[in-house]
Amino acid sequence: MAEELTPETPEDEEQPIKQRKNGLYPGVSDELAENMTTGWADTELQGLEPIAQAQQTAARRAALSARFPGERLVIPAGNLKTRSNDTEYSFRASTEYAYLTGDQTEDGVLVLEPKGNGHVATIHLLPRSNRENGEFWLSGQGELWVGRRHSLAEAEQLLGIPAEDVRELSAKLREATGPVRAVRGHDAAVEAALTDKVTAERDEELRVFLSEARAVKDPFEIGELQKACDSTARGFEDVVKVLDKAEATSERYIEGTFFLRARVEGNDVGYGSICAAGPHATTLHWVRNDGPVRSGDLLLLDAGVETHTLYTADITRTLPISGRYTELQRKIYDAVYEAQEAGIAAVKPGAKFRDFHDASQRVLAEKLVEWGLVEGPVERVLELGLQRRWTLHGTGHMLGMDVHDCAAARTEAYVDGTLEPGMCLTVEPGLYFQADDLTVPEEYRGIGVRIEDDILVTEDGNRNLSAALPRQADEVEAWMASLKQG
């Protein structure tokens, strides 16, 4: 990684550009500084087309405006976060900001100013790097170091929102009067400027509204979720093709293989990939991915591609590493498959959100009683939640720009709510027999199975967006065999 060419500056002098303490260049000559201000072509882009979701983001801002008339609304993208010393994590804009603007750049802030019966929206962004004061080549975040960013005029064309310099926003917010609401947790400077103007309760109402607004997906969002699922299916195929290499190395090979597909076809993975082989499959969120991959064990792969517009898939398959399930593995797998089938069948408009969970849990409880692992009757098991020793988690969640989308929604609007066309959720029952669980026969221990698909509620039922990946055991084995032969 190259080192910025910044000179040291005494602490008592003004430092408009952050300096590197141990830079190799002692300073910048007047001649070099002057040279760097001239001789650059005009690269302003003209006639840009609006982003694909510009109409949708405008409609979302209109709905937000109608919900909070007469109030100033402030929604930040967030800032870069330090990973170590002077390196940063890859930036991911806050979901609320990206949902309302389509923009994904750090430090951006959307402000809706009340006007008449509605609002005027302005997006506050960093402009192009300044070439007169040397920022573009001296600053670690200058364009010669991290790449060109859009000018404010270009951003206006792309996003369909008037754009202003975000560096002037804090002063404006400090002077603002009237009621204000802000999305917290993303931009400390914005929150400091509003510290005496907002309340936690009012800000929470804004966050809840934006969370619930994402529950029903528009056609653009549904298309993006389908893209995410399709790319994820191809990522799973990639993994199956290299299972022999994973056996020679570790779960990391699986993680890296899927990540390549995510970066080539999308923005990133939507969450840390769970590449759990053998007994690691019984750890619900196994993301260390540093264990062995052995023939005869199962691989629980829970992963999702995030599209360039930040919509993510969330799919799980539990695959026999050898290509064939053992008799016991298939028995457990088939039980989970049957539970998932019952859950998916319960996803339809007008159904309660909890219905698919209840349907899946009933099947799993029946199997556990049938196998003699828990004492019946099934109604008693379900009433006391005894099945949860082996199926700890809920059977699904909302899906969208966040893998656990709509998380701030009111309980009555989410888990106690009713399904509507356009909602997208996961159905993901599982059974997990821990390696140290003495309450089950030894042969069960260390086996974990989860099957997860992304289900869209339609007008007449549901559609499985991840149906490209087989689920039934025989189909899984045939699919794996065809990929290894190909």
Side-chain angles (χ1 to χ4, degrees):
M1 185 175 183
E3 181 181 54
E4 291 98 323
L5 307 180
T6 53
E8 285 198 66
T9 303
E11 292 183 2
D12 58 351
E13 291 185 20
E14 183 181 2
Q15 298 185 49
I17 298 172
K18 184 179 179 181
Q19 309 298 327
R20 181 188 289 276
K21 181 177 181 181
N22 289 304
L24 291 174
Y25 286 92
V28 175
S29 68
D30 292 342
E31 291 79 5
L32 176 59
E34 176 63 25
N35 177 274
M36 292 296 286
T37 64
T38 61
W40 303 102
D42 180 6
T43 60
E44 184 75 9
L45 303 176
Q46 306 293 337
L48 296 175
E49 292 294 322
I51 58 174
Q53 68 270 45
Q55 288 187 330
Q56 284 82 5
T57 55
R60 296 165 194 167
R61 294 192 299 274
L64 176 61
S65 172
R67 172 62 180 82
F68 298 105
E71 302 184 54
R72 181 175 286 101
L73 308 173
V74 183
I75 301 95
N79 317 123
L80 289 172
K81 291 181 171 60
T82 299
R83 180 180 184 273
S84 176
N85 188 29
D86 58 355
T87 61
E88 292 86 18
Y89 288 104
S90 297
F91 180 73
R92 203 277 197 187
S94 74
T95 294
E96 296 89 351
Y97 175 86
Y99 177 75
L100 292 167
T101 67
D103 182 55
Q104 297 181 37
T105 56
E106 64 267 21
D107 301 326
V109 184
L110 174 68
V111 178
L112 272 63
E113 295 279 353
K115 183 176 181 180
N117 294 326
H119 289 79
V120 174
T122 305
I123 193 165
H124 299 259
L125 302 166
L126 284 172
R128 296 284 307 279
S129 289
N130 190 320
R131 295 186 182 238
E132 294 301 316
N133 70 0
E135 174 196 349
F136 82 108
W137 71 286
L138 290 173
S139 168
Q141 293 301 318
E143 291 185 7
L144 290 195
W145 289 99
V146 299
R148 185 188 190 278
R149 55 182 175 253
H150 286 298
S151 70
L152 298 182
E154 292 168 354
E156 289 184 354
Q157 296 175 63
L158 291 166
L159 305 175
I161 313 171
E164 295 182 3
D165 190 337
V166 71
R167 294 172 297 187
E168 301 169 2
L169 179 61
S170 290
K172 293 179 180 179
L173 293 178
R174 282 192 291 270
E175 298 170 0
T177 59
V180 182
R181 297 178 190 259
V183 174
R184 300 190 183 202
H186 301 294
D187 193 315
V190 166
E191 293 182 32
L194 295 173
T195 186
D196 59 343
K197 306 176 191 301
V198 295
T199 67
E201 293 77 15
R202 290 163 58 80
D203 290 351
E204 181 63 12
E205 289 177 357
L206 172 60
R207 190 171 79 106
V208 168
F209 173 80
L210 290 173
S211 194
E212 294 181 7
R214 301 198 306 275
V216 175
K217 272 59 181 177
D218 60 40
F220 174 84
E221 294 179 291
I222 293 169
E224 290 301 293
L225 286 167
Q226 186 65 69
K227 286 181 190 176
C229 287
D230 292 344
S231 289
T232 300
R234 288 188 283 273
F236 276 58
E237 292 176 354
D238 297 337
V239 167
V240 171
K241 292 176 181 178
V242 299
L243 279 178
D244 58 333
K245 294 182 174 64
E247 287 187 61
T249 52
S250 76
E251 295 163 340
R252 293 267 170 104
Y253 204 97
I254 295 167
E255 179 182 4
T257 299
F258 185 82
F259 180 70
L260 177 61
R261 177 67 64 172
R263 286 294 282 166
V264 168
E265 295 193 3
N267 176 60
D268 205 331
V269 290
Y271 54 96
S273 299
I274 299 169
C275 308
H280 288 163
T282 66
T283 300
L284 302 183
H285 287 166
W286 177 260
V287 293
R288 299 178 199 172
N289 299 336
D290 58 1
V293 179
R294 299 188 180 99
S295 182
D297 285 344
L298 296 175
L299 167 67
L300 190 157
L301 178 58
D302 183 337
V305 171
E306 178 185 76
T307 66
H308 294 293
T309 57
L310 306 185
Y311 289 84
T312 185
D314 181 8
I315 303 172
T316 306
R317 291 293 183 268
T318 305
L319 310 173
I321 295 167
S322 69
R324 303 279 296 182
Y325 296 101
T326 67
E327 184 178 352
L328 179 59
Q329 288 169 352
R330 180 182 282 260
K331 179 176 113 169
I332 297 170
Y333 185 94
D334 286 348
V336 175
Y337 173 77
E338 186 178 331
Q340 195 200 28
E341 284 282 273
I344 292 174
V347 175
K348 53 191 174 184
K352 294 296 183 183
F353 181 87
R354 291 180 181 274
D355 287 353
F356 74 93
H357 170 72
D358 293 342
S360 292
Q361 289 292 298
R362 176 170 291 277
V363 172
L364 296 179
E366 289 171 349
K367 296 298 181 181
L368 292 166
V369 171
E370 177 186 324
W371 298 340
L373 302 183
V374 65
E375 182 181 349
V378 169
E379 294 298 337
R380 168 184 170 272
V381 173
L382 292 170
E383 181 181 354
L384 299 177
L386 301 180
Q387 81 283 3
R388 293 187 61 192
R389 182 182 178 100
W390 304 284
T391 177
L392 185 64
H393 56 80
T395 311
H397 51 79
M398 291 290 193
L399 184 69
M401 296 185 82
D402 288 329
V403 65
H404 297 141
D405 209 27
C406 311
R410 295 165 298 159
T411 300
E412 58 267 30
Y414 191 158
V415 295
D416 290 339
T418 301
L419 296 180
E420 301 176 39
M423 289 182 172
C424 187
L425 53 94
T426 67
V427 179
E428 51 175 313
L431 283 173
Y432 314 91
F433 300 102
Q434 304 299 325
D436 59 350
D437 188 349
L438 301 181
T439 69
V440 299
E442 185 175 359
E443 61 267 24
Y444 282 73
R445 299 172 197 165
I447 295 178
V449 174
R450 179 164 67 251
I451 312 172
E452 177 180 20
D453 285 88
D454 301 343
I455 309 299
L456 174 71
V457 183
T458 62
E459 294 289 344
D460 57 356
N462 68 67
R463 184 168 92 235
N464 186 348
L465 300 180
S466 48
L469 284 172
R471 294 184 294 124
Q472 197 274 335
D474 287 341
E475 294 174 351
V476 170
E477 291 178 344
W479 169 72
M480 293 181 70
S482 69
L483 290 172
K484 290 180 178 181
Q485 292 169 1

